[in-house]
Amino acid sequence: MHALITGGGIGGLTAALCLAHAGHRVSLFEQVNEIGEIGAGIQLSPNCSRVLHHLGLQQALEAIAFLPQHTEMRHWKNAKFIASTPLGDTVHSRFGAPYYHVHRADLMRVLFDAASAVPAIALHTGARVNSVVDRGDRVELTSDAQTVEGDLLIGADGIHSTIRAALWGEAEPAFTGNIAWRALVPAERLPADLVRPASTVWWGPGRHFVHYYVRRGELVNCVCVVEKTGWEIESWTARGERAELEADFAGWHNNVQQLIKQADEASLFKWALFDRPPMPQWGKGCITLLGDACHPTLPFMAQGAAMAIEDAAVLAACIEKAGEVEGALQRYEDLRRDRTAGIQRGSRRNAKIFHLSGVQAWLRNRAAARAGGRTLDGLFAYDALSVADTQG
């Protein structure tokens, strides 16, 4: 088959690789001209890293990633240890795939280089999609001066998806009341052992702070979320001021303060977090959606990229097994809808849990300590490579 993909992000590139791996031809259209340093850290849990290894990317990932040994939750002010989940060798041996921390730009380069090396994949950068027409058994896409026909179209064009809008109209997001900051800190600027080899979450009243190593340990990625209103720009490229970030986390533990002070000024960005409900239907005919285009997820389970990678593997498997496109795309949607909706709801729930105070925070901490890492078993064990074989 000839698959058309709009969007050259993580989901779109992974879908292209999965489809080419299954023997199909792919034309991918991305509106930007080249990959940049947009975004920062990404956590790749075993449920998605096994897909990337299946595509032959293990060596390339190991060259760019950091392997955390555990997750940990700490008290915002006194750094008291609350709970932990083992990662590292424990996760690898249990689920058959590793847990990586990577810089988004590094992962994008790995995926782009891999796709560029596959003759069956045609990458069109600087190509904005102008129109899409479903011809029944074919789909027609017009981008700039060219028109291309394919057997199916995958809209992997992100949270502001043009394809989703063409199918279902514009989504109506709701502001969550949270502002997220991101920043990168060169590890060489920090005292030794200030940042442990872990994904660390500091829980506090009305806000939380996450940090972990990326780029083989050369950088510390920080994500800082604060409940506040009055600024509601949903963009990854809006600059932030260090003074405002320092004010947002005034009184927090010295480790948090040092990370903020040592952050690279050019890496300080902030964006308003908007929530979108799970979609009851993703596609029509021979057109479907993938990743943030159909299930944008708040960043409180670190599963946004993972869900897009899972989507890509399941979609390719459904197309490989089905005799016709429309049935394959419906099968893909049916297999993925409940899982991705569950991740959306869980992320929304964590937005509240992370920011509790007083007695509620005390009860949360006790529950987290008792639960350990067991709550992640169902998440990490999901095998996108075989789910199309095992579910009815």
Side-chain angles (χ1 to χ4, degrees):
M1 293 185 184
H2 181 202
L4 310 179
I5 300 175
T6 62
I10 293 168
L13 287 169
T14 305
L17 289 166
C18 287
L19 288 165
H21 190 270
H24 304 293
R25 185 163 62 95
V26 180
S27 294
L28 184 148
F29 299 84
E30 167 55 46
Q31 65 180 352
V32 303
N33 290 310
E34 60 184 36
I35 295 172
E37 291 281 316
I38 296 175
I42 292 177
Q43 301 189 49
L44 300 176
S45 46
N47 46 302
C48 69
S49 64
R50 67 168 54 88
V51 173
L52 300 177
H53 282 200
H54 173 73
L55 294 172
L57 302 178
Q58 179 175 351
Q59 184 175 354
L61 289 171
E62 290 174 346
I64 64 167
F66 181 82
L67 290 168
Q69 297 306 301
H70 55 276
T71 66
E72 61 181 27
M73 278 64 77
R74 293 188 174 273
H75 186 276
W76 66 279
K77 192 168 187 177
N78 58 26
K80 181 180 179 181
F81 178 83
I82 297 170
S84 179
T85 301
L87 297 175
D89 292 341
T90 300
V91 158
H92 200 163
S93 62
R94 189 170 184 181
F95 300 106
Y99 197 113
Y100 292 123
H101 289 164
V102 299
H103 192 295
R104 185 181 187 277
D106 296 339
L107 176 60
M108 286 291 295
R109 176 54 58 190
V110 166
L111 294 171
F112 187 85
D113 288 349
S116 299
V118 178
I121 300 175
L123 298 173
H124 304 273
T125 56
R128 183 180 296 275
V129 174
N130 299 318
S131 67
V132 172
V133 179
D134 189 344
R135 301 291 187 188
D137 62 340
R138 306 281 286 173
V139 62
E140 185 179 279
L141 179 151
T142 301
S143 172
D144 300 327
Q146 65 175 320
T147 298
V148 182
E149 280 195 348
D151 296 289
L152 67 150
L153 169 66
I154 303 161
D157 47 347
I159 197 167
H160 300 294
S161 171
T162 298
I163 306 304
R164 183 193 62 224
L167 291 175
W168 306 110
E170 295 291 343
E172 292 296 335
F175 179 52
T176 62
N178 288 287
I179 301 295
W181 292 83
R182 59 181 169 88
L184 291 169
V185 186
E188 61 186 13
R189 297 181 184 176
L190 300 171
D193 301 324
L194 185 135
V195 175
R196 291 155 57 84
S199 176
T200 301
V201 187
W202 301 74
W203 284 342
R207 63 205 68 205
H208 73 277
F209 194 105
V210 181
H211 60 75
Y212 53 86
Y213 286 111
V214 295
R215 196 165 285 170
R216 302 169 301 277
E218 297 170 15
L219 297 171
V220 179
N221 180 66
C222 299
V223 180
C224 333
V225 180
V226 184
E227 293 178 9
K228 60 194 303 185
T229 57
W231 187 88
E232 299 179 10
I233 299 175
E234 190 180 26
S235 169
W236 277 12
T237 58
R239 295 283 183 178
E241 298 294 332
R242 192 191 310 272
E244 183 184 356
L245 179 56
E246 289 176 335
D248 282 343
F249 288 87
W252 279 52
H253 190 269
N254 182 60
N255 286 16
V256 172
Q257 302 290 336
Q258 287 197 62
L259 285 165
I260 294 173
K261 290 183 183 303
Q262 296 302 326
D264 187 341
E265 190 78 41
S267 76
L268 284 172
F269 294 87
K270 65 176 183 176
W271 75 102
L273 295 179
F274 283 77
D275 195 18
R276 291 163 173 80
M279 296 178 65
Q281 186 176 349
W282 294 359
K284 293 180 183 179
C286 56
I287 303 175
T288 193
L289 304 174
L290 181 149
D292 281 353
C294 48
H295 48 75
T297 304
L298 295 171
F300 303 128
M301 289 182 69
Q303 285 294 307
M307 290 301 104
I309 292 169
E310 287 183 6
D311 283 351
V314 175
L315 175 59
C318 288
I319 291 172
E320 185 177 8
K321 296 176 186 305
E324 49 86 25
V325 171
E326 190 168 348
L329 299 189
Q330 186 61 56
R331 171 93 169 122
Y332 151 72
E333 181 180 326
D334 290 342
L335 287 173
R336 295 295 296 157
R337 193 188 305 107
D338 287 349
R339 177 164 170 85
T340 57
I343 297 298
Q344 285 183 283
R345 289 191 291 267
S347 298
R348 184 185 307 150
R349 184 171 57 250
N350 280 354
K352 300 181 184 298
I353 291 172
F354 287 5
H355 295 179
L356 294 174
S357 59
V359 174
Q360 289 182 316
W362 181 80
L363 292 171
R364 173 203 62 197
N365 295 352
R366 283 176 57 88
R370 288 196 301 268
R374 294 188 302 275
T375 57
L376 298 176
D377 286 4
L379 181 61
F380 292 172
Y382 182 92
D383 187 355
L385 298 169
S386 63
V387 68
D389 296 323
T390 59
Q391 298 191 21

